[in-house]
Amino acid sequence: MIDYIVIPTLGRVHKQVTYNNLPEQLQNQTLFTAQPHEYDELHEIYGDKVLKLPENVKRIAATREWIFNEFKDCRHMVFDDDLDFVVKEPNPEEGGTKWLSRKFEEKDFFNAIDLVDVWMDEGISFGGLLPAWVIPDLNQWPIRENQRMMTNWFFDGPNIPRDLQWCRVDAAEDFDVNLQLLTRGFKNRVSAKYMVTCSVTNADGGCSTWRTLEVHNESQRKLAELWPDFVTLREKEVPSGPWKGQIKLATTIQHKKAYESSQKNSLEDFF
């Protein structure tokens, strides 16, 4: 059973998209983390649902580390604060669109949570919901394994290693932690049926308060240096948002290869 949903929020005190999308029952299980300068205002609105981060926790990597350390003894989900939720299914009707998409209804939230619980019971210690901008694939629906993780996570806290390094890559910590777990033999699983959408890259609030294009690009370079066997860089023109028209570094990450490396190493250790 998922014990908590945690939403790290910054610069969006009065624009809580994720929280407002959740059914009331799940809102009752939801907590926010706030930096000290926003804590009082958020606390006035949400009361004891708001946890104050330490003064030295300023960026998302350190925030994710703090959240994990606070909730490592339970099953929990971590959602970015700007998520909408979408159900995507193959269209059974001939001659129509290949896929059907709709917003979550209340039952979909609980179905998604129940699904995650089943996965954890089956030994999947982390994963999430697939971003809706990923091109759908019938061969990887409704479940994908060993995939890119971003915007949302679930953790079976007691079964996650305690020595993960969360703060090595400022603006790509989610990719780094994912690769750390995959290469240590922890398979992830993401739902391609229950999906999320979020704001455009570097929209107001969140990481945009400190993440410049150069900070982003340097983080991608650092990630590639840390994981040369699995990460390659490419240039990409940003199609929308504050960086529209500029060139940013994007990553191609071989997640399945990363997981397979853990299995090969385990086999070699056995013999």
Side-chain angles (χ1 to χ4, degrees):
M1 179 81 180
I2 293 290
D3 296 292
Y4 295 102
I5 296 169
V6 186
I7 300 175
T9 188
L10 178 63
R12 296 175 178 138
V13 171
H14 299 288
K15 193 178 180 181
Q16 292 301 323
V17 176
T18 302
Y19 181 82
N20 291 337
N21 278 325
L22 298 176
E24 182 177 0
Q25 183 176 334
L26 293 182
Q27 288 180 344
N28 293 335
Q29 294 175 242
T30 300
L31 300 169
F32 298 92
T33 64
Q35 292 188 15
H37 71 280
E38 291 188 347
Y39 173 79
D40 289 341
E41 192 173 6
L42 273 163
H43 189 267
E44 284 184 13
I45 302 170
Y46 299 105
D48 292 340
K49 291 183 179 182
V50 185
L51 307 176
K52 184 189 290 188
L53 293 168
E55 289 281 355
N56 64 327
V57 175
K58 301 292 187 183
R59 295 189 174 184
I60 188 60
T63 300
R64 294 196 191 284
E65 180 179 40
W66 187 89
I67 290 171
F68 180 76
N69 287 335
E70 287 292 308
F71 294 92
K72 63 181 181 293
D73 294 326
C74 67
R75 290 181 171 181
H76 62 282
M77 302 186 79
V78 183
F79 286 149
D80 285 2
D81 62 5
D82 59 348
L83 301 182
D84 289 309
F85 298 84
V86 177
V87 177
K88 187 176 288 290
E89 299 173 291
N91 188 351
E93 301 294 332
E94 291 186 10
T97 59
K98 189 173 182 179
W99 294 90
L100 298 176
S101 298
R102 60 175 174 82
K103 290 186 175 182
F104 268 37
E105 299 172 5
E106 184 169 303
K107 64 180 181 180
D108 296 312
F109 284 98
F110 296 107
N111 288 341
I113 295 288
D114 289 345
L115 180 65
V116 166
D117 271 323
V118 168
W119 290 351
M120 288 191 282
D121 289 341
E122 293 174 353
I124 303 296
S125 298
F126 79 113
L129 311 180
L130 192 68
W133 61 82
V134 176
I135 297 172
D137 178 356
L138 282 172
N139 294 322
Q140 297 186 82
W141 188 93
I143 291 171
R144 296 186 178 206
E145 290 191 336
N146 300 329
Q147 297 278 316
R148 182 177 296 231
M149 295 287 306
M150 57 195 305
T151 76
N152 71 100
W153 297 69
F154 70 79
F155 291 109
D156 189 1
N159 292 316
I160 297 292
R162 299 300 192 250
D163 59 347
L164 296 174
Q165 298 185 62
W166 294 82
C167 299
R168 301 190 301 183
V169 189
D170 263 344
E173 81 295 328
D174 43 3
F175 299 161
D176 183 29
V177 169
N178 190 12
L179 286 168
Q180 290 180 56
L181 287 165
L182 290 172
T183 54
R184 292 167 71 165
F186 291 86
K187 181 186 295 185
N188 77 33
R189 187 174 291 172
V190 298
S191 172
K193 176 180 178 179
Y194 301 109
M195 307 177 79
V196 298
T197 64
C198 68
S199 303
V200 295
T201 302
N202 235 45
D204 287 346
C207 296
S208 72
T209 58
W210 54 268
R211 183 178 55 195
T212 64
L213 183 59
E214 184 49 44
V215 167
H216 166 86
N217 287 343
E218 184 55 37
S219 293
Q220 309 315 300
R221 295 186 193 102
K222 176 66 173 176
L223 187 73
E225 290 173 6
L226 287 168
W227 302 102
D229 293 337
F230 312 120
V231 178
T232 56
L233 299 177
R234 66 186 191 280
E235 292 186 345
K236 177 181 179 182
E237 183 175 330
V238 182
S240 60
W243 294 347
K244 182 178 180 179
Q246 299 186 67
I247 301 299
K248 74 171 185 178
L249 290 179
T251 54
T252 298
I253 304 176
Q254 298 184 71
H255 298 92
K256 295 184 186 302
K257 182 180 177 183
Y259 176 74
E260 288 164 2
S261 74
S262 73
Q263 304 309 293
K264 178 182 178 182
N265 292 340
S266 297
L267 208 58
E268 288 175 349
D269 290 343
F270 179 78
F271 288 109

